Amino acid sequence: QLQLQESGPGLVRPSETLSLTCTVSGGSVTTSDHHWGWIRQPPGKGLQWIGTVFFTGSTSYNPPLSSRVTISIDRSKNQFSLNLNSLSAADTAVYYCARKGRGGYYYTYWGQGLLVTVSS
Amino acid sequence: QSALTQPASVSGSPGQSITISCTGTSSDIGNFNLVSWYQQYPGEAPKLIVYEVTNRPSGVSNRFSGSKSGNTASLTISGLQAEDEADYHCSSYSTTYLQVFGPGTKVTVL
């Protein structure tokens, strides 16, 4: 059974960079059939797609966030990561990592989520 | 950023059917059969219940069904049960944002 687990800081200061890692178990990030993504949810609000990465390293980002986001993949550790810079309070959210369905625009497997608070 | 529109809440009695709407534009729902729906309980991750407008993943109850007309997609829950009380999020491919979600709809079982 595929499992994903987010890790990283729960508190980050404004203007700093957030770095999160998603560790995949029960499957490989090198599969050619799936993309791996990050999605966030501000407290009490809806979901927002951040971006995805393919095993080749190819990425797609949500345009409003693209200038601040980098998603990368580490095949040797079976992980993928999110870097989000120039943080503000608006970036406070639960951050989820997830795996896309084969060839689709939907997410079939999700991590449990990690609450990240941006505050001084 | 919620490019899709959903009602904030929908309620129904046990056994009834309810429908949640998700309205977009020709840049997303209207021209692509790439709508998905997620069920989310408080404090938990979303769970995929419908993909590509009408398809259900293995293990998802057939009480959940999806449809689309024009720029609006819909999720119908038939035979409403207490366990269906949750938030429901729609999503679609978008030519503008690549992927967009709605703000979510809270379903209450009376």
Side-chain angles (χ1 to χ4, degrees):
Chain A
Q1 175 75 354
L2 187 74
Q3 293 187 323
L4 294 83
Q5 178 69 59
E6 305 88 351
S7 59
L11 178 64
V12 191
R13 297 186 185 281
S15 79
E16 292 188 342
T17 296
L18 171 66
S19 295
L20 298 179
T21 296
C22 183
T23 300
V24 178
S25 58
S28 173
V29 297
T30 61
T31 174
S32 61
D33 293 342
H34 301 284
H35 290 72
W36 306 88
W38 290 95
I39 298 149
R40 69 181 183 178
Q41 185 173 29
K45 296 187 178 181
L47 300 164
Q48 182 184 33
W49 178 72
I50 299 173
T52 58
V53 63
F54 197 45
F55 80 102
T56 58
S58 171
T59 54
S60 295
Y61 300 135
N62 191 338
L65 297 173
S66 61
S67 64
R68 300 196 292 131
V69 173
T70 302
I71 298 176
S72 58
I73 198 162
D74 187 333
R75 302 173 196 82
S76 65
K77 295 182 178 179
N78 215 33
Q79 295 175 336
F80 61 103
S81 299
L82 167 71
N83 275 9
L84 180 66
N85 61 35
S86 302
L87 294 173
S88 71
D91 295 309
T92 294
V94 175
Y95 286 75
Y96 295 100
C97 61
R99 191 186 83 172
K100 257 186 163 182
R102 182 170 297 160
Y105 283 84
Y106 53 90
Y107 290 88
T108 48
Y109 291 94
W110 295 67
Q112 65 184 28
L114 180 67
L115 175 62
V116 176
T117 302
V118 180
S119 175
S120 56
Chain B
Q1 174 200 40
S2 289
L4 305 179
T5 302
Q6 296 180 240
S9 63
V10 173
S11 62
S13 299
Q16 286 186 329
S17 292
I18 61 170
T19 297
I20 303 168
S21 62
C22 175
T23 301
T25 68
S26 58
S27 296
D28 38 69
I29 293 176
N31 275 314
F32 304 94
N33 291 324
L34 295 172
V35 178
S36 54
W37 290 89
Y38 301 84
Q39 177 190 58
Q40 185 180 32
Y41 294 112
E44 296 188 9
K47 172 190 173 185
L48 179 70
I49 55 174
V50 170
Y51 66 98
E52 293 172 354
V53 181
T54 61
N55 298 314
R56 279 188 309 275
S58 174
V60 172
S61 172
N62 59 10
R63 297 186 299 103
F64 295 96
S65 62
S67 62
K68 190 188 86 167
S69 177
N71 294 339
T72 298
S74 299
L75 175 72
T76 297
I77 309 175
S78 58
L80 197 63
Q81 300 179 0
E83 66 198 49
D84 299 330
E85 188 160 292
D87 292 330
Y88 291 84
H89 305 269
C90 63
S91 180
S92 173
Y93 168 77
S94 162
T95 58
T96 305
Y97 300 105
L98 299 182
Q99 181 146 18
V100 288
F101 287 89
T105 296
K106 180 176 180 60
V107 168
T108 301
V109 181
L110 302 172

